[in-house]
């Protein structure tokens, strides 16, 4: 149970890059990081517009002196201080992640980075090697993996409660961008421009979320090959896709699908992971994140509820309140930030043994997302052919 008691000697001195006023994701980063006092927001380069970022930072009660015009100045200036930042969160558009993350790791600062981690596997490899060399943590905000029943699913699959896994059916298909909303919405505009978004739109923006949940639930399932088709129903988005289907073969003979879409009219979020075994199936839906559906062939379906003592310990570890009270995305993110802090603290003490078994979405999670996108795009852009997973 997480109850706000201190776990670290003192909060980690933390800064943000991006996540400024009007950004989509900035507030949940701050809310999650500050929830359990494991981080203290002491600096930032919050906005591409330096003046707006400074004003915003001051309104967040960050000292004016430590509201910087850009991330390079921040790293330089913070290095000179005895109480300089120890960690930074990067909540900027995709195209900036690689250079900012690399600069942070070179400056000896732990990182929490938004997904997708970067554009290419080559860049992700550089980041991973740099983090390993400098003994730094890179957490990636696959926020939904902080929902506790995901860890119930993992345990149930591990313990054979579903039998042999045959099919993994994933989707994240919302309807918010069914028309060209980017014409009036800056948060969507960069998402459909390859210069800022990278090689994909919905594959990276939403598809990697359920994919990562499946990796958490089934860490041993490895993709053997895949086939992807992607299209832009709003034509001006080409070459980036607003809809994609991916079919995958796993090495153990199971098959999987991912439907990623921003044009699924009427759907609020539509993120689901359904795992089908030879005896039973599990299903998780992000619009009801406290519940896990368990369906044994030939028996009535069961709904497993967060916070109940029939769940495995791993699914109870990060509870903040008893079952029945709905927890949501903000709690899931807080769980991840709490874990990022614990991992950073262990890294500072060079406690490799602890880190070996301590779960959080790490640099490998980010790496795998980038790798999957790269393979999907290679398949789609070669005429939707089957490609071996590289
Ligand atoms: P946004 O366009 O709404 O906000 C981006 C913010 O970054 C703005 O405040 C902007 O001024 C600032 N910014 C841009 N370039 C900057 C720079 N060089 N230095 C400092 N600040 C800069 O974008 P968003 O929707 O909040 O997305 C940001 C990132 O978060 C993206 O990578 C996106 O994929 C990711 N995201 C993740 C989730 C999730 O569930 N984990 C959800 C939404 C967005």
């Amino acid at each position: 149970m997480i109850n706000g008691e201190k776990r670290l000697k003192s909060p980690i001195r933390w800064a943000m890059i991006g996540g400024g006023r009007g950004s989509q994701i900035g507030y949940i980063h701050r809310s999650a990081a500050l929830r359990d006092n494991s981080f203290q927001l002491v600096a930032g380069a919050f906005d591409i517009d330096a003046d707006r970022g400074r004003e915003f930072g001051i309104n967040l009660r960050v000292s004016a002196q430590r509201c910087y015009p850009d991330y390079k100045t921040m790293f330089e200036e913070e290095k000179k201080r005895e109480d300089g930042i120890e960690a930074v969160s990067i909540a900027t558009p995709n195209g900036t992640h690689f250079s900012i993350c690399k600069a942070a790791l070179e400056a000896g600062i732990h990182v929490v980075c938004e997904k997708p981690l970067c554009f290419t596997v080559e860049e992700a490899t550089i980041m991973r090697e740099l983090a390993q060399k400098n003994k730094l943590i890179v957490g990636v905000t696959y926020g939904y993996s902080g929902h506790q029943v995901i860890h119930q699913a993992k345990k149930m699959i591990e313990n054979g409660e579903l039998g042999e896994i045959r099919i993994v059916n994933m989707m994240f298909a919302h309807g918010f961008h069914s028309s060209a909303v980017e014409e009036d919405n800056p948060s969507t505009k960069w998402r459909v421009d390859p210069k800022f978004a990278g090689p994909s739109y919905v594959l990276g923006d939403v598809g990697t979320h359920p994919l990562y949940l499946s990796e958490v639930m089934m860490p041993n399932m490895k993709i053997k090959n895949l086939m992807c088709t992607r299209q832009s129903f709003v034509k001006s988005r080409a070459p980036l896709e607003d809809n994609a289907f991916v079919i995958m073969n796993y090495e153990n003979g199971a098959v999987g699908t991912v439907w990623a879409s921003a044009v699924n009219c009427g759907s609020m979020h539509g993120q689901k992971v359904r795992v089908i075994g030879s005896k039973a199936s599990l299903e998780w839906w992000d619009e009801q994140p406290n519940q896990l559906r368990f369906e044994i062939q030939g028996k009535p379906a069961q709904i497993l509820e967060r916070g109940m003592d029939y769940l495995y310990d791993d699914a109870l570890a990060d509870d903040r309140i008893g079952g029945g009270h709905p927890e949501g995305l903000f709690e899931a993110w807080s769980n991840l930030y709490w874990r990022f802090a614990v991992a950073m603290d262990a890294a500072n003490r060079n406690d490799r043994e602890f880190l070996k078994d301590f779960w959080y979405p790490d640099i490998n999670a980010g790496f795998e997302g980038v790798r999957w996108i790269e393979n999907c795009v290679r398949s789609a852009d070669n005429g939707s052919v089957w490609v071996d997973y590289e």
Side-chain angles (χ1 to χ4, degrees):
M1 191 106 180
I2 298 175
N3 64 4
E5 279 186 272
K6 68 176 179 192
R7 169 87 192 240
L8 319 182
K9 251 204 229 139
S10 47
I12 292 170
R13 297 184 299 277
W14 172 66
M16 278 195 82
I17 301 168
R21 183 180 296 142
S23 72
Q24 202 183 106
I25 208 67
Y27 177 67
I28 197 168
H29 277 273
R30 287 185 291 279
S31 167
L34 303 177
R35 170 79 68 93
D36 300 302
N37 296 316
S38 351
F39 291 93
Q40 186 188 5
L41 183 62
V42 295
F46 297 99
D47 204 299
I48 189 74
D49 178 320
D51 291 339
R52 195 171 54 192
R54 186 167 186 278
E55 191 207 331
F56 181 69
I58 292 169
N59 278 347
L60 295 176
R61 300 186 195 285
V62 174
S63 115
Q65 220 191 343
R66 295 176 87 178
C67 293
Y68 297 100
D70 56 71
Y71 74 90
K72 286 185 184 152
T73 312
M74 177 163 85
F75 293 157
E76 267 167 37
E77 291 303 314
E78 287 292 312
K79 207 163 35 178
K80 296 178 194 159
R81 300 178 66 108
E82 258 181 38
D83 63 349
I85 55 170
E86 301 166 277
V88 68
S89 288
I90 303 168
T92 51
N94 306 351
T96 59
H97 294 175
F98 176 66
S99 46
I100 301 178
C101 187
K102 186 161 167 287
L105 294 172
E106 283 166 349
I109 296 165
H110 297 296
V111 172
V112 175
C113 189
E114 265 304 346
K115 40 57 58 180
L117 190 61
C118 50
F119 283 180
T120 63
V121 165
E122 199 184 334
E123 290 172 346
T125 307
I126 293 172
M127 271 149 94
R128 185 156 70 180
E129 286 174 0
L130 197 50
Q132 276 162 359
K133 183 173 138 235
N134 292 354
K135 298 191 165 70
L136 292 165
I137 299 296
V138 177
V140 181
T141 35
Y142 282 118
Y144 306 97
S145 63
H147 285 297
Q148 297 93 307
V149 295
I150 299 299
H151 303 273
Q152 173 70 14
K154 175 180 196 279
K155 274 296 192 200
M156 290 175 75
I157 294 165
E158 188 180 300
N159 289 343
E161 293 178 46
L162 276 65
E164 293 282 308
I165 301 307
R166 293 174 168 171
I167 303 167
V168 190
N169 192 221
M170 294 163 267
M171 60 185 274
F172 195 154
H174 65 80
F176 286 97
H177 302 161
S178 299
S179 60
V181 293
E182 56 269 31
E183 285 165 14
D184 304 311
N185 183 336
S187 285
T188 313
K189 194 169 182 171
W190 66 257
R191 282 177 157 80
V192 295
D193 182 342
K195 199 166 130 224
F196 300 100
S200 80
Y201 168 31
V202 290
L203 287 162
D205 203 48
V206 291
T208 53
H209 278 296
L211 182 84
Y212 179 61
L213 296 180
S214 76
E215 290 167 6
V216 173
M217 292 179 190
M218 294 160 287
N220 298 325
M221 296 258 287
K222 302 291 170 219
I223 301 168
K224 188 172 147 209
N225 53 19
L226 62 72
M227 195 263 271
C228 171
T229 168
R230 61 174 186 159
Q231 44 285 131
S232 1
F233 285 102
V234 174
K235 296 295 171 213
S236 52
R237 291 174 183 162
L240 297 191
E241 77 291 346
D242 51 24
N243 188 78
F245 294 103
V246 185
I247 312 177
M248 302 175 290
N249 286 311
Y250 292 96
E251 281 173 3
N252 67 353
V255 293
T257 58
V258 177
W259 175 28
S261 187
V263 295
N264 181 18
C265 282
S267 164
M268 287 303 290
H269 236 213
Q271 179 178 198
K272 285 187 182 176
V273 179
R274 182 173 175 85
V275 184
I276 301 163
S278 52
K279 295 196 294 206
S281 302
L282 277 175
E283 186 167 306
W284 181 80
W285 178 27
D286 75 345
E287 294 176 34
Q288 290 180 1
N290 291 268
Q291 283 91 32
L292 185 66
R293 244 181 115 80
F294 182 40
E295 302 167 14
I296 301 173
Q297 177 55 32
K299 298 208 172 144
Q302 295 177 48
I303 307 292
L304 308 183
E305 293 276 353
R306 184 202 63 76
M308 299 302 289
D309 56 15
Y310 50 70
L311 301 178
Y312 288 107
D313 287 350
D314 283 6
L316 296 168
D318 292 356
D319 277 341
R320 291 158 185 277
I321 192 165
H325 304 85
E327 288 193 3
L329 193 63
F330 278 73
E331 284 72 30
W333 275 64
S334 302
N335 296 343
L336 293 192
Y337 261 96
W338 179 86
R339 285 175 174 273
F340 295 151
V342 171
M344 289 171 191
D345 180 59
N348 291 347
R349 291 182 285 100
N350 203 17
D351 191 345
R352 294 331 260 173
E353 208 44 42
F354 173 82
L355 283 171
K356 254 196 337 209
D357 295 326
F358 185 67
W359 173 82
Y360 64 97
D362 60 9
I363 184 102
N364 295 315
F367 181 99
E368 288 303 326
V370 173
R371 181 182 175 202
W372 183 76
I373 298 167
E374 205 166 86
N375 278 276
C376 290
V377 169
R378 188 160 51 91
S379 163
D381 292 1
N382 280 297
S384 297
V385 291
W386 281 95
V387 293
D388 287 339
Y389 203 60
E390 286 179 355

